[in-house]
Amino acid sequence: MPVVRADPSDKVVPLKGRSFLQVVVHGAVARWSATPITPYGGPSTVTPGYPTLKQVSISGDFEAVLSFGVGLARTAGFQVTRLRSPDRLVVDVAESPTWRKWPDYSLAAARVVQTSFDQGHRPWQGSGQSVAWSYAFAVYGWNKPVVTPVPGTDTYRLTHQGSSDKVTVRAVRQFPTTSRYSIFEITDTR
């Protein structure tokens, strides 16, 4: 997600990082005793200095719903696991991939897609603006993304209709010297 919002104020929670997760735990509290719930006793903010995980902060503590904002250096896959005895939540953030482009997961996969594109498949990947729109839809779940090209650059501003959330991406040709019409891929997000 492009920002984390506080519960219940909906204000943007300032977090270190360029990409964000929001973890919501129902039936949990931090500051308010709520029998039989034992309040969370940890710090309200943690800044571990890891390469990907930059900061974790409480973003909401309202009506037995405890929320945490997680600031990441980049968009990353993650897995959430609940452990017991004692109860705890583990958020495992994926390591930095060797291939840093979207939507393909490797150079070999991009070459297969380019061949497919040359045969008339996946026409949306032939336009930076279409790839940027697809990125907003697939990665952020925005069902009505608005894509605004930045004139004279390979950069696009993404917003979600009716929201103040925004992201800037670069969509570049993957094989500019080997194919007349090269596929576009997202190479940078901020």
Side-chain angles (χ1 to χ4, degrees), residues 39-123:
Y40 163 75
S44 60
T45 298
V46 176
T47 309
Y50 295 141
T52 301
L53 178 64
K54 295 300 181 186
Q55 185 176 19
V56 178
S57 290
I58 293 176
S59 59
D61 183 11
F62 185 69
E63 295 183 347
V65 177
L66 184 58
S67 306
F68 294 89
V70 180
L72 304 173
R74 60 177 174 74
T75 301
F78 63 94
Q79 178 176 322
V80 179
T81 306
R82 180 181 181 182
L83 302 176
R84 298 196 183 257
S85 297
D87 277 334
R88 56 210 187 277
L89 199 62
V90 176
V91 179
D92 186 20
V93 179
E95 289 185 24
S96 184
T98 56
W99 181 256
R100 297 178 185 255
K101 298 182 182 180
W102 184 94
D104 302 309
Y105 55 86
S106 69
L107 178 58
R111 286 187 174 131
V112 169
V113 170
Q114 180 66 54
T115 300
S116 178
F117 176 81
D118 291 341
Q119 296 169 354
H121 305 286
R122 296 176 73 149

Side-chain angles (χ1 to χ4, degrees), residues 11-27:
K11 292 180 181 176
V12 173
V13 175
L15 290 167
K16 293 181 180 187
R18 295 173 28 173
S19 185
F20 308 96
L21 302 174
Q22 186 159 20
V23 178
V24 179
V25 182
H26 294 268

